[in-house]
Amino acid sequence: MDVKIEASWQSLLAAEFDKPYFTSLVQFVRNEYQAGVCYPPGNLIFNAFWQTPLHEVKVVILGQDPYHGPGQAHGLCFSVSDGIAFPPSLRNIFQEIHTETGAPVPTSGDLTRWARQGVFLLNTCLTVREHQAFSHSGMGWETFTDAVIKGISDSLSGVVFLLWGAPAGRKAQLIDASKHCILTAAHPSPLSAYRGFFGCNHFNLCNSYLAQSGKEPIQW
């Protein structure tokens, strides 16, 4: 199947695009977008892949499914477009960065600035129906994004994986811990942030690992 995606990812994932599950997934997504409002906009479903080519990936942050409110999702996990109020999880992420580094809380929740530094902002499910969390789960996206995570692990080295919350933490089994850095913590959601996300020091630990690997740290 011909999927419009950045060339380095196209090369890595070509075999996935030809599998029956992906054909079924594409048809499901097309039907959903025709039947009602879904997010992100169709042209931004693969935004994370365009913003961070495979060979530029230094850090992977894993989310679940896109925000399902109007104007929020634009294809990067935890990120919202300019002018959109910070969702609680993103607000807590910025608070932890401030605590760790002293950097002021930004005025924009658009994390494209991270993506362009090599932070691959991947949701495990890339689409969602408006106001219906997890409405596109179990339709094939998870199979695809598992292949993405394993592909990163197999083809690169020295990547930092930030896995927040139990569902993300379970993806560690797809990653070769002998050549990558895996950091796990509670999810930044208000329901769990005080149970181990706040104080995790992940952003400093990530940059220390990158520096030790001879890579440029991330300007969080």
Side-chain angles (χ1 to χ4, degrees), residues 122-126 140-150:
L122 179 67
N123 278 314
T124 54
C125 190
L126 299 190
W141 277 130
E142 294 89 348
T143 302
F144 174 71
T145 53
D146 279 1
V148 172
I149 295 165
K150 189 173 188 307

Side-chain angles (χ1 to χ4, degrees), residues 29 33 37-48 65-69 71-76 79 81 123 125-130 136 141:
V29 170
Y33 274 71
V37 178
C38 296
Y39 300 118
N43 65 321
L44 294 177
I45 291 173
F46 292 104
N47 190 25
D65 65 343
Y67 297 125
H68 50 77
Q72 292 180 307
H74 65 122
L76 305 177
S79 179
S81 300
N123 278 314
C125 190
L126 299 190
T127 57
V128 70
R129 203 177 298 146
E130 184 176 41
H136 289 182
W141 277 130

Side-chain angles (χ1 to χ4, degrees), residues 75-196:
L76 305 177
C77 76
F78 293 109
S79 179
V80 291
S81 300
D82 269 341
I84 301 296
F86 299 167
S89 291
L90 181 59
R91 190 163 58 243
N92 287 342
I93 288 169
F94 287 153
Q95 180 58 50
E96 175 61 20
I97 291 170
H98 172 70
T99 300
E100 290 184 27
T101 70
V105 173
T107 56
S108 169
D110 186 343
L111 302 182
T112 302
R113 60 187 182 275
W114 292 4
R116 290 177 178 166
Q117 296 179 72
V119 182
F120 186 53
L121 297 163
L122 179 67
N123 278 314
T124 54
C125 190
L126 299 190
T127 57
V128 70
R129 203 177 298 146
E130 184 176 41
H131 301 314
Q132 296 183 46
F134 306 114
S135 50
H136 289 182
S137 294
M139 303 306 299
W141 277 130
E142 294 89 348
T143 302
F144 174 71
T145 53
D146 279 1
V148 172
I149 295 165
K150 189 173 188 307
I152 294 170
S153 175
D154 290 348
S155 60
L156 301 177
S157 61
V159 174
V160 182
F161 289 84
L162 302 181
L163 307 180
W164 300 329
R170 287 193 287 271
K171 303 298 183 182
Q173 64 186 340
L174 302 168
I175 304 161
D176 184 348
S178 71
K179 63 173 184 171
H180 299 289
C181 175
I182 303 172
L183 299 175
T184 60
H187 195 274
S189 160
L191 298 174
S192 56
Y194 285 96
R195 297 202 301 266

Side-chain angles (χ1 to χ4, degrees), residues 96 99-101 162 183 185 196-208:
E96 175 61 20
T99 300
E100 290 184 27
T101 70
L162 302 181
L183 299 175
F197 178 76
F198 288 136
C200 68
N201 204 36
H202 276 190
F203 301 97
N204 281 336
L205 290 170
C206 173
N207 276 348
S208 293

